[in-house]
């Protein structure tokens, strides 16, 4: 196997024996063959434009398929066997529509290969995995950058679609960029341009998702979230899918069961249309990688709506309490299927919860969040006033992901050591490294402004653009904002490309730089965008802060 898509890639190069995340060589191979089949589908979808219904089915299949291959989303080999078969069925349908043409793609292996059983699917990966498609390490690096960015793009597109928001331009671009991954005539310069262009599509996806979330649940607002527990049985919901949470909240009303959020589901508490449910009682625990400890003490059932899922360890007591839905999966966990009308029936989870004890408390108190663009802009006068009078000297965007690596304590230390006149803008599960530090406020403005999930990094850009306007600056890079971003999986890749597309420079990525960036590709990013890694807290504070 070879996989280098996340920050945990073994030895900073790639996992070759077994995934640090728990992905087996067989699962990796199935995902590789599946992605190959999806690229073929995208190539055909670009040609079959007049068959609108069929193409929309393919749009969604490719989107959901890419999402399922994101780190820590799905560990179920049989799920990928089923999806590869479905991909070939759809491929043959699309080919039927093109039978009267002599398009070159129709003779390509990518739309003709046959794999009818699991072993042949695994074998096929040896020659088609994205990492083995070229000897040129820079082209390989750029193809990986684009593929991993597309996975993040697919996740955001999928979330928006679940709430009824789609954009043909997004799907067309998804297929267009997928098709570039097998083009033999694209050189390093063409792929570099494409990678940066993909960032613009990322902005479009994040903006659509922002619109979907805020139209469905209204604008996030300043909210105090309880981190203690109540005495009734509870269901813990994790991942990023707010649509699933909404359905769970409706179905648990008046059942005697409380709902708690875990990890990236925390920002659900900030939305008026979700926080209005009195039985959405609090946030339990911390970031995703703490789940192996925290699920033990939660006592009730747990619902995974998206990544990050950690495979259960031997001897753990919670396996029979875990349910997955959507693109997440693990052979040891039960599945909540999507019904024909697109809804989900959580009644078995609710019945299960009623047989369980209430959660064991982990901590007490409250955390504050809800500082997405609408809420922050309503405070714009105070914020601009504080900047002008020098009370706020710096903002530091510390968005992104949390992870298991010990060196991530850097982010806790960085937050602690920041001067008192600095404000952290955060989004994503990275916040758990410092969101319980009680960092205080500046003239009533909290020193930690949490905009929401990783996809709400878009909110931080909106805030930056508005501040630029309010302060009469020419360039977004003239703002007193430093970017110290922690990354882990592929949604962070599309967020990074989106920030670059918006012209943001001097982004620092940590705790380590992506293993899939070749030295030459990294050099291009350094020269054009001054991208860098991190060093010690002391050195970085000196280097990053402008004033
Ligand atoms: Fe955190 Fe995991 Fe949010 Fe990432 S829960 S690292 O998928 O998307 O961030
Ligand atoms: Fe390794 Fe990350 Fe790939 Fe898992 S997703 S196999 S940890 S590089």
């Amino acid at each position: 196997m070879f996989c280098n898509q996340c920050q945990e890639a073994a030895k900073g190069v790639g996992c070759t024996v077994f995934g640090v995340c728990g992905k087996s060589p067989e699962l990796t191979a199935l995902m590789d063959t599946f992605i190959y089949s999806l690229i073929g589908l995208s190539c055909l979808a670009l040609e079959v434009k007049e068959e609108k219904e069929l193409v929309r089915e393919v749009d969604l299949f490719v989107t959901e398929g890419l999402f399922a291959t994101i780190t820590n989303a799905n560990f179920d080999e049989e799920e990928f066997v089923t999806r590869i078969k479905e991909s070939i069925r759809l491929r043959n349908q699309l080919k039927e529509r093109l039978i009267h043409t002599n398009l070159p793609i129709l003779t390509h292996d990518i739309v003709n290969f046959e794999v009818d059983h699991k072993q042949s699917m695994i074998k096929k990966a040896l020659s088609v995995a994205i990492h083995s498609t070229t000897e040129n390490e820079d082209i390989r690096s750029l193809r990986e950058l684009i593929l991993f960015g597309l996975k993040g793009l697919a996740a955001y597109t999928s979330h928006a679609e679940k709430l009824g928001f789609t954009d043909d331009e997004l799907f067309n671009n998804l297929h267009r960029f997928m098709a570039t991954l097998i083009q033999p005539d694209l050189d390093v310069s063409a792929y570099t341009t494409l990678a940066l262009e993909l960032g613009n599509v990322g902005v479009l996806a994040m903006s659509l998702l922002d619109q979907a979330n805020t139209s469905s649940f209204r604008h996030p607002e300043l909210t105090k979230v309880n981190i203690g527990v109540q005495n009734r049985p509870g269901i813990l919901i994790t991942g990023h899918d707010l649509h699933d949470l909404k359905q769970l909240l409706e179905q648990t009303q008046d059942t005697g069961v409380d709902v708690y959020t875990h990890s990236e589901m925390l920002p659900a508490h900030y939305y008026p249309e979700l926080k209005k449910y009195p039985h959405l009682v609090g946030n339990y625990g911390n970031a995703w990688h703490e789940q192996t400890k925290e699920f033990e003490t939660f006592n009730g059932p747990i619902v995974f709506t998206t990544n990050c899922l950690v495979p259960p360890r031997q001897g753990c007591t919670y396996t029979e309490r875990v349910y997955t839905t959507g693109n997440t999966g693990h052979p040891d966990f039960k599945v909540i299927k999507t019904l024909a009308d697109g809804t989900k029936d959580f009644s078995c989870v609710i019945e299960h919860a009623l047989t369980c004890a209430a959660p064991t408390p982990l901590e007490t108190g409250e955390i504050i969040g809800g500082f997405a663009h609408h809420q922050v802009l309503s405070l714009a006068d105070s914020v601009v006033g504080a900047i002008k009078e020098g009370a706020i000297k710096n903002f530091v965007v510390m968005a992104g992901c949390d992870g298991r690596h010990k060196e991530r304590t850097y982010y806790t230390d960085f937050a602690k050591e920041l001067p008192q006149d600095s404000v952290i803008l955060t989004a994503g599960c990275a916040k758990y490294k410092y969101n319980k530090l009680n960092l205080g406020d500046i003239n009533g403005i909290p020193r930690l402004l949490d905009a929401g999930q990783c996809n709400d990094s878009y909110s931080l850009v909106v805030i930056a653009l508005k501040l630029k306007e309010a302060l009469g600056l020419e360039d977004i890079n003239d703002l007193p904002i430093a970017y110290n971003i922690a990354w882990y999986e592929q949604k962070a890749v599309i967020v990074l490309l989106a920030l670059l597309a918006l012209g943001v420079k001097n982004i620092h990525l940590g705790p380590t730089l992506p293993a899939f960036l070749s030295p030459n590709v990294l050099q291009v990013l350094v020269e054009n965008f001054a991208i860098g890694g991190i060093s010690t807290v002391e050195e970085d504070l000196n280097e990053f802060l402008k004033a």
Side-chain angles (χ1 to χ4, degrees), residues 394 396 398 407 410-411 413-415 417-419 482-485 506 508-511 532-547:
N394 285 287
V396 186
M398 292 179 76
E407 64 262 37
Y410 161 94
Y411 294 103
D413 297 338
F414 189 92
E417 298 300 323
L418 268 177
Y483 294 82
N484 192 3
I485 292 179
N506 288 304
H508 295 269
L509 264 189
I534 56 169
S535 163
T536 63
V537 169
E538 199 185 1
E539 278 180 30
D540 289 350
L541 283 169
N542 282 333
E543 192 195 326
F544 299 174
L545 304 187
K546 290 190 177 169

Side-chain angles (χ1 to χ4, degrees), residues 76 93-94 148 163 178 290 297 389 408 429-430 478 495:
D76 187 352
Q93 261 187 288
L94 289 173
F148 302 155
L163 294 169
M178 284 287 273
E290 303 283 358
T297 53
E389 74 187 42
R408 285 183 186 257
C429 63
D478 294 336
V495 171

Side-chain angles (χ1 to χ4, degrees), residues 373-505:
H373 56 88
H374 188 265
Q375 175 66 80
V376 174
L377 297 179
S378 73
L379 304 170
D381 288 347
S382 331
V383 175
V384 171
I387 297 172
K388 286 187 172 158
E389 74 187 42
I392 296 179
K393 290 218 170 65
N394 285 287
F395 292 91
V396 186
V397 170
M398 292 179 76
C401 316
D402 198 7
R404 286 174 272 231
H405 279 176
K406 289 204 171 49
E407 64 262 37
R408 285 183 186 257
T409 52
Y410 161 94
Y411 294 103
T412 311
D413 297 338
F414 189 92
K416 278 185 190 163
E417 298 300 323
L418 268 177
Q420 289 301 313
D421 52 16
S422 302
V423 171
I424 297 173
L425 300 171
T426 193
C429 63
K431 67 171 81 67
Y432 283 98
K433 279 283 184 276
Y434 36 82
N435 69 346
K436 293 169 185 171
L437 291 179
N438 293 323
L439 293 171
D441 66 276
I442 299 173
N443 299 346
I445 302 161
R447 287 189 58 233
L448 176 67
L449 298 176
D450 175 20
Q453 298 179 337
C454 44
N455 42 298
D456 297 307
S457 307
Y458 170 79
S459 238
L460 305 180
V461 172
V462 174
I463 292 166
L465 291 172
K466 288 285 173 195
L467 280 181
K468 181 189 90 162
E469 204 178 292
L471 294 168
L473 300 172
E474 287 288 305
D475 186 330
I476 195 166
N477 295 299
D478 294 336
L479 283 164
I481 302 183
Y483 294 82
N484 192 3
I485 292 179
W487 84 285
Y488 175 65
E489 41 69 65
Q490 299 76 58
K491 284 181 263 178
V493 178
I494 195 67
V495 171
L496 173 68
L497 291 175
L499 289 174
L500 299 184
L502 288 162
V504 177
K505 295 195 169 152

